[in-house]
Amino acid sequence: MKPRDRLRIAMQKSGRLTEPAQELLARCGLKFRQSRDKLFCFGEGEPVDLLLVRDDDIPGLIAEGVCDLGIVGRNVLREFQFSNVEAGTGLDELRPLGFGHCRLSIAVPQEDAYDGPAQLGGQRIATSYPGLLGEWLRSNGVDAKVVMLAGSVEIAPRLGTADAICDLVSSGATLVANQLREAAVVVESEAVLAGRRELPADERGEIAELLLRRLDGVIQVRDSRLILMQAPRHSLAEITRLLPGAPVPTLTAVDGAPDQVVLQALCAGSVSWRQLEEMKRAGARDMLVLPVEKMLA
Ligand code: ATP
Ligand code: MG
């Protein structure tokens, strides 16, 4: 293969991961010019180009060295690693990216009871993920028949071609529409940045490191919230315990109210309504949760 001095990232051409992946790269300061065939996008500022492909092809392109990095579901990456052991062992999940959340789950007909993996023994399970399902069955000591289907897995039980399925679930609406019920989670998935275990030893390695640093900054800011509130001094310990990411809050005295403080804290992760209500019960008031635009320690 010809040596390259530009980093090449593979991402999904059109699908659920396309928009959030593009947005993430834009936040990292990368700009691309799309070519006429819409397969290759030339990077305008940094020496980083994009290859737009079907998500299933991404792990193979990285393993073969056609691309250096890829944005792909953990489900697709792990499936590749289980079904192409030799090529797959060279690949690594470099960062979880916090979008494209779903799970690969086993689902059974609604009317069937499910009381554990052993019940799947001898059954036919339809899936597009034979590697991951096979590994789950082995590690649970279940001997079942894996029926490989490329798509429309969810209708297999109704068609009588399988007794259960193993497919991606996010809201569960598709399962309900097909009279199925989620029984066991095989893999919790989200989009990840995938790459070879060893970054390239040339300029591309340096560009990849720069990109990883920017990505870490972008993810940290995206997942951070600034919380402000007024609280009674005596409940500070309880309120601090409720803050995501165990931050050390900054306290400011309130004029004329010695038992009250204004609390400010940078939280790792979003703050739920439930957490806010618990803080309110502990005496907090005037709570504000703000997104963070930029951060420099
Ligand atoms: P391609 O044409 O690229 O092969 P696809 O149909 O295989 O597209 P999408 O349906 O766009 O792929 O899903 C891409 C990824 O999005 C999945 O591999 C998974 O990681 C993630 N995802 C998140 N939620 C869901 C969901 N409810 N169903 C399927 N995939 C989901
Ligand atoms: Mg696909």
Side-chain angles (χ1 to χ4, degrees):
M1 194 162 300
K2 270 202 314 204
R4 278 188 287 118
D5 53 5
R6 297 175 65 84
L7 194 76
R8 197 179 286 161
I9 306 177
M11 60 169 262
Q12 195 183 21
K13 183 172 194 293
S14 124
R16 292 171 201 263
L17 304 183
T18 308
E19 216 183 286
Q22 276 169 341
E23 197 187 305
L24 186 66
L25 294 177
R27 281 177 184 268
C28 290
L30 302 182
K31 287 198 185 70
F32 302 96
R33 194 169 59 219
Q34 205 164 50
S35 68
R36 224 172 302 162
D37 62 9
K38 298 211 166 121
L39 257 177
F40 186 83
C41 301
F42 183 80
E44 294 192 316
E46 312 293 342
V48 181
D49 303 323
L50 279 186
L51 202 62
L52 303 181
V53 293
R54 289 203 53 178
D55 68 344
D56 316 70
D57 295 336
I58 293 174
L61 289 169
I62 305 171
E64 287 162 19
V66 177
C67 293
D68 306 297
L69 300 172
I71 296 177
V72 67
R74 178 179 295 134
N75 49 306
V76 173
L77 177 64
R78 293 252 201 103
E79 177 63 25
F80 179 84
Q81 291 176 308
F82 275 112
S83 37
N84 303 267
V85 175
E86 209 172 310
T89 49
L91 297 186
D92 216 359
E93 180 180 317
L94 303 177
R95 296 290 187 280
L97 298 177
F99 59 87
H101 286 279
C102 60
R103 46 203 190 275
L104 182 68
S105 287
I106 293 177
V108 297
Q110 262 164 11
E111 63 275 13
D112 288 7
Y114 179 78
D115 47 26
Q119 190 185 314
L120 298 165
Q123 298 216 330
R124 298 161 305 160
I125 310 177
T127 191
S128 313
Y129 294 86
L132 287 173
L133 173 60
E135 171 60 22
W136 186 88
L137 291 170
R138 261 191 306 282
S139 65
N140 283 280
V142 179
D143 188 14
K145 184 170 174 351
V146 176
V147 180
M148 172 63 192
L149 291 181
S152 305
V153 171
E154 65 279 5
I155 58 166
R158 263 198 293 160
L159 297 180
T161 51
D163 307 299
I165 68 164
C166 172
D167 203 7
L168 296 177
V169 182
S170 49
S171 69
T174 309
L175 293 186
V176 173
N178 288 284
Q179 290 123 47
L180 297 167
R181 189 159 64 82
E182 195 170 353
V185 177
V186 174
V187 175
E188 289 280 358
S189 185
E190 66 185 283
V192 302
L193 183 74
R196 281 184 301 282
R197 197 145 291 170
E198 309 275 328
L199 288 177
D202 48 25
E203 295 103 292
R204 286 175 299 158
E206 285 166 34
I207 309 164
E209 276 173 21
L210 171 98
L211 181 64
L212 285 174
R213 276 199 303 277
R214 287 193 189 174
L215 200 58
D216 288 338
V218 167
I219 292 171
Q220 199 186 359
V221 164
R222 188 192 61 194
D223 295 346
S224 296
R225 297 289 181 278
L226 182 69
I227 188 165
L228 298 169
M229 69 181 80
Q230 186 168 326
R233 279 185 193 277
H234 65 83
S235 49
L236 281 179
E238 189 181 351
I239 289 173
T240 306
R241 217 176 21 250
L242 291 166
L243 298 172
V248 179
T250 308
L251 305 176
T252 316
V254 179
D255 265 352
D259 61 329
Q260 293 280 313
V261 284
V262 168
L263 177 154
Q264 170 186 320
L266 190 65
C267 301
S270 61
V271 185
S272 67
W273 284 111
R274 194 180 47 74
Q275 285 164 323
L276 285 179
E277 279 155 18
E278 282 183 52
M279 291 180 217
K280 192 170 173 60
R281 273 198 292 279
R285 61 188 176 93
D286 298 339
M287 287 174 275
L288 277 181
V289 181
L290 307 170
V292 176
E293 156 99 14
K294 286 194 181 68
M295 204 152 66
L296 190 66

